[in-house]
Amino acid sequence: MFNPTDFPQPTRVSVNGVELEVFEAGQQNAGNPIVLCHGWPEHAFSWRYQMPALAEAGYHVIVPNQRGYGHSSRPAETTDYDIEQLSGDLVALLDHYGYEDAIFVGHDWGANVVWGLTLLHPDRVNKVINLALPYQARTEKPWIEFLEDVFGSDHYFVHFNRQPGVADAVFDENTSRFLRNMFRKNVPSASPEPGMMMINLARAEAPLGEPLMSDDELAVFVSAFENSGFMSSINWYRNLDRNWHILADVDPIIQKPALMIYGDRDLIPKSEKLTDFVPKVDVVSLDCGHWIQQEMPEETTHAILKWLEDQGAA
């Protein structure tokens, strides 16, 4: 287990009209940036195992708490969390450090942002490494409408959008229990069926699976969400249909070298058409659930560094 006191102290960086709480390692490796983007309901601390190894390998490791998380800004408008704003934060972060481009790594929602960033700002992305969530091809109808047709109104993506504020309040009232129940080893994913299981996790007394982290590690996440609440991070979900429209006229093919890392026990399905949209992708699968880089940290780090070495990076 990781001692939270060993995690770097953050700085606050003003970018794109917000302030981001940013954690760094390997500042001495200026000129070789790698940006790590967390998922939901997570925190920059999710990358605690990868940061020192990447710094030792020669990278300037930049790990923001993205808007809506931790002590980063939490804009009031729901539309302030669309893909243009989220990717714009990352572009502005590069500008802040004086970088033309970087390797971007994302997990879960962070992966979705990295895919979107690469579509909207391909010149700012050198390579892509994503975990858990493969490239999501644009559906014929907006994503929430599509998911509602397939899974019904109880799916948590749909529920977050159709009943705004309901889940947010439940999670706020049960923050510690919800996160303790979410972060379990070999539990399939943050996409359970039926969808309302997500709210059930905030109320359950006896979760399944082995704890993913120590109490001290969990306390980092609990403290962060007790500070921020859940609404701002759930607002990312409430922009899925808006993102569908934003990406309507964007070339959907990712031309950058990419690595996709799956957890074999994750309920998020592996993409059967990944190479259609990401032709330069390599795929690695690990024997774990959804929280890949925390559940199998050494194997995840090895996969990332080996792929980067094969790509001739660092």
Side-chain angles (χ1 to χ4, degrees), residues 213-246:
M213 60 187 79
S214 69
D215 288 345
D216 287 343
E217 290 172 301
L218 181 66
V220 175
F221 294 89
V222 173
S223 175
F225 279 98
E226 287 178 342
N227 170 71
S228 67
F230 281 88
M231 179 176 289
S232 54
S233 63
I234 294 176
N235 280 341
W236 290 34
Y237 290 89
R238 295 180 178 130
N239 279 279
L240 281 168
D241 284 354
R242 182 178 174 88
N243 295 346
W244 185 89
H245 289 287
I246 289 170

Side-chain angles (χ1 to χ4, degrees), residues 12 29 42 44 79 126 135 142 199 236-237 250 265 285:
R12 293 183 67 84
N29 302 320
E42 295 187 271
T79 54
N126 185 289
Y135 180 93
I199 287 181
W236 290 34
Y237 290 89
V250 176
R265 305 188 192 193
S285 295

Side-chain angles (χ1 to χ4, degrees), residues 82-88 90-91 104 106 108-125 128 130 133-136 143 243 246-247 250-254 278:
D82 68 25
I83 192 61
E84 286 185 325
Q85 296 300 328
L86 297 175
S87 62
L90 298 178
V91 168
F104 281 89
D108 183 77
W109 246 111
N112 199 31
V113 173
V114 170
W115 293 126
L117 168 71
T118 310
L119 292 175
L120 293 169
H121 303 280
D123 57 321
R124 307 308 298 269
V125 179
V128 172
N130 276 332
L133 187 74
Y135 180 93
Q136 301 297 292
W143 278 308
N243 295 346
I246 289 170
L247 296 172
V250 176
D251 182 353
I253 307 302
I254 302 253
V278 192

Side-chain angles (χ1 to χ4, degrees), residues 6 11 18 27 39 46 54 59 74 119 133 158 185 231 250 255 261 293 309 312:
D6 293 334
T11 57
V18 297
Q27 292 93 326
S46 304
L54 289 169
Y59 293 96
R74 301 187 297 277
L119 292 175
L133 187 74
V158 179
K185 287 186 178 181
M231 179 176 289
V250 176
Q255 297 292 355
I261 303 178
Q293 77 273 29
E309 182 180 359

Side-chain angles (χ1 to χ4, degrees), residues 186-216:
N186 296 324
V187 172
S189 77
S191 299
E193 296 300 334
M196 290 306 292
M197 185 186 289
M198 189 63 72
I199 287 181
N200 293 340
L201 282 173
R203 296 171 170 153
E205 295 288 350
L208 299 174
E210 180 185 346
L212 181 69
M213 60 187 79
S214 69
D215 288 345
D216 287 343

Side-chain angles (χ1 to χ4, degrees), residues 235-309:
N235 280 341
W236 290 34
Y237 290 89
R238 295 180 178 130
N239 279 279
L240 281 168
D241 284 354
R242 182 178 174 88
N243 295 346
W244 185 89
H245 289 287
I246 289 170
L247 296 172
D249 298 321
V250 176
D251 182 353
I253 307 302
I254 302 253
Q255 297 292 355
K256 301 296 180 178
L259 173 65
M260 181 66 221
I261 303 178
Y262 291 111
D264 281 335
R265 305 188 192 193
D266 195 341
L267 276 184
I268 295 177
K270 297 178 181 180
S271 173
E272 296 180 355
K273 298 183 177 180
L274 185 60
T275 55
D276 293 347
F277 294 93
V278 192
K280 300 177 183 177
V281 68
D282 294 304
V283 175
V284 169
S285 295
L286 299 177
D287 183 22
C288 62
H290 182 67
W291 314 107
I292 297 170
Q293 77 273 29
Q294 298 184 81
E295 194 167 335
M296 298 189 74
E298 293 182 4
E299 293 85 350
T300 302
T301 302
H302 173 76
I304 290 171
L305 288 175
K306 183 180 185 302
W307 184 78
L308 289 171
E309 182 180 359

